[in-house]
Amino acid sequence: MKDRRQWGVGVGVLVLAAVLALGALDIPSAAGYAGVGPNFLPWVVAGGLAVCGLLLLREAFAAARAGAQASKPPGPVCWGGLAWVSAGLLLNALLVTRLGFVLGSTVLFVCAARGFRVAQRGGAPARTLALDTFVGVLLSAPAYWIFTKALGLTLPGLTATGWI
């Protein structure tokens, strides 16, 4: 139990999960479209946070038992990677109403992926742009459809049909 920060993070995530679960109790559970009510996602997030908190505590127990310490300090800040991720966030905020949620989120994903690659290797080959774009669409399109079609929420779309 030398490093109490690990324990604190695990307990903090569990407390956050409990607060989210308490908040979800106040949301009506009346089923909407496809039997999913408005309290579905808060319960999913609370459950996911609880699992993460328990896993963090398990890691803290294992580290305490092994007497493990951080083997190497964190490296210097990669300003190029930070710039890519920041640019992605700003572009998403500027473009989401013009391009729609799916394309705006894809731009964010592409910039964030490029930023993380720059931070890992100091560079990112241009050939990964197509793959990052494909993965960005694969992640953002289902999120858009879940929020707009299943939950009935309004997100900006590219077309009037509501599918992109």
Side-chain angles (χ1 to χ4, degrees):
M1 287 198 234
K2 292 180 182 179
D3 192 3
R4 298 203 184 272
R5 291 175 290 181
Q6 287 182 327
W7 297 90
V9 170
V11 170
V13 170
L14 281 175
V15 168
L16 182 61
V19 168
L20 218 69
L22 286 173
L25 288 173
D26 291 336
I27 300 173
S29 62
Y33 182 75
V36 176
N39 69 348
F40 175 73
L41 282 179
W43 280 110
V44 170
V45 172
L49 280 173
V51 168
C52 288
L54 291 173
L55 290 173
L56 286 168
L57 286 176
R58 184 187 75 172
E59 290 298 316
F61 278 118
R65 191 174 314 134
Q69 294 292 325
S71 59
K72 67 177 189 176
V77 174
C78 176
W79 295 107
L82 178 65
W84 273 105
V85 174
S86 299
L89 288 168
L90 291 172
L91 283 171
N92 185 30
L94 291 172
L95 297 175
V96 73
T97 56
R98 290 173 182 83
L99 294 179
F101 179 84
V102 174
L103 295 179
S105 296
T106 300
V107 168
L108 170 61
F109 181 83
V110 168
C111 289
R114 177 134 330 239
F116 286 120
R117 282 195 181 96
V118 166
Q120 280 183 337
R121 296 188 290 247
R127 68 176 189 260
T128 60
L129 179 65
L131 178 63
D132 291 342
T133 302
F134 180 70
V135 172
V137 169
L138 282 180
L139 291 173
S140 61
Y144 176 76
W145 294 324
I146 288 171
F147 279 101
T148 58
K149 302 300 179 190
L151 297 176
L153 298 173
T154 304
L155 291 176
L158 181 62
T159 65
T161 62
W163 284 98
I164 291 182

